[in-house]
Amino acid sequence: QNNLSRSFNFQFGRDGYRLQPQPLDDWEKHLKQRYPDFVVPQSGGDVATTVLAMLKDVSWKDPNPENGRQLFIKFTCQKCHSGRQALGPDLQGVAKRFTRDDLFVAIVNPDRDVSNRYVTTTVQTTSGKTYNGLIVYDSVDGLTLRDAQHNTYRIEAGDIAARIKRRASLMPSGLLRGITASEIADLYAYLQQL
């Protein structure tokens, strides 16, 4: 605000705690017009950059799918990609639907391409609480939202102060922190078996 002499009616101070989708959208549009060459860094930061750079050096010969399965569990992938109440897409046949590189881009940068079905919603209540997650049920009386930890919240319509859809995934960025080149091959071998 100070540098650009604009406020777009953003409320600071005590009123600034609440969600303010319109001022934030106005800011985003203004910044895109003023700085058209600026590119927002990909989510996942250094981890994403490191993992994607490693792909060209991975030896894909003789991977260990069992080790890949253990990595799948270590990174808690099964928590959101298995079972009836999965928060993420079914990974059955995922290695046939995506190229190897595209699959790893999706893993390390989950916000890059989010299907409408998995768009995160932020709900602010009249009491000032904020919830982030996927809407699993929506009606005129309220909604049910499930967060990344599989906690489910029922929020009555009269308690909703603001509701914003975000083009963001519940899947955390930087997920493969510390992975080695051979482990990448192992994880991919396991994903090919699904």
Side-chain angles (χ1 to χ4, degrees), residues 60-176:
W60 302 101
K61 296 177 186 172
D62 302 320
N64 182 341
E66 176 52 29
N67 188 46
R69 187 180 75 77
Q70 294 300 323
L71 288 165
F72 190 81
I73 293 167
K74 173 187 170 188
F75 291 119
T76 67
C77 306
Q78 83 290 351
K79 184 176 177 182
C80 293
H81 293 283
S82 302
R84 282 185 34 232
Q85 295 187 340
L87 290 171
D90 184 0
L91 298 183
Q92 199 80 0
V94 70
K96 292 178 183 158
R97 295 193 310 265
F98 293 94
T99 67
R100 186 171 56 209
D101 286 4
D102 286 344
L103 183 54
F104 279 98
V105 167
I107 293 170
V108 296
N109 187 8
D111 294 337
R112 189 186 79 148
D113 188 22
V114 183
S115 158
N116 287 335
R117 183 175 174 189
Y118 300 107
V119 167
T120 302
T121 299
T122 300
V123 176
Q124 173 113 35
T125 67
T126 53
S127 64
K129 291 183 179 177
T130 302
Y131 300 92
N132 293 300
L134 298 181
I135 294 178
V136 293
Y137 180 75
D138 198 356
S139 71
V140 292
D141 332 17
L143 58 85
T144 303
L145 183 129
R146 187 175 300 131
D147 68 12
Q149 288 73 43
H150 283 266
N151 298 315
T152 302
Y153 303 95
R154 167 76 182 156
I155 306 167
E156 301 299 323
D159 295 334
I160 298 173
R163 171 177 164 165
I164 303 170
K165 281 190 176 251
R166 302 249 179 241
R167 269 280 179 232
S169 171
L170 281 181
M171 183 171 166
S173 58
L175 190 63
L176 301 184

Side-chain angles (χ1 to χ4, degrees), residues 172-193:
S173 58
L175 190 63
L176 301 184
R177 186 178 309 278
I179 199 168
T180 65
S182 64
E183 288 175 330
I184 287 175
D186 295 345
L187 180 59
Y188 184 66
Y190 173 70
L191 294 173
Q192 284 181 299
Q193 293 181 349

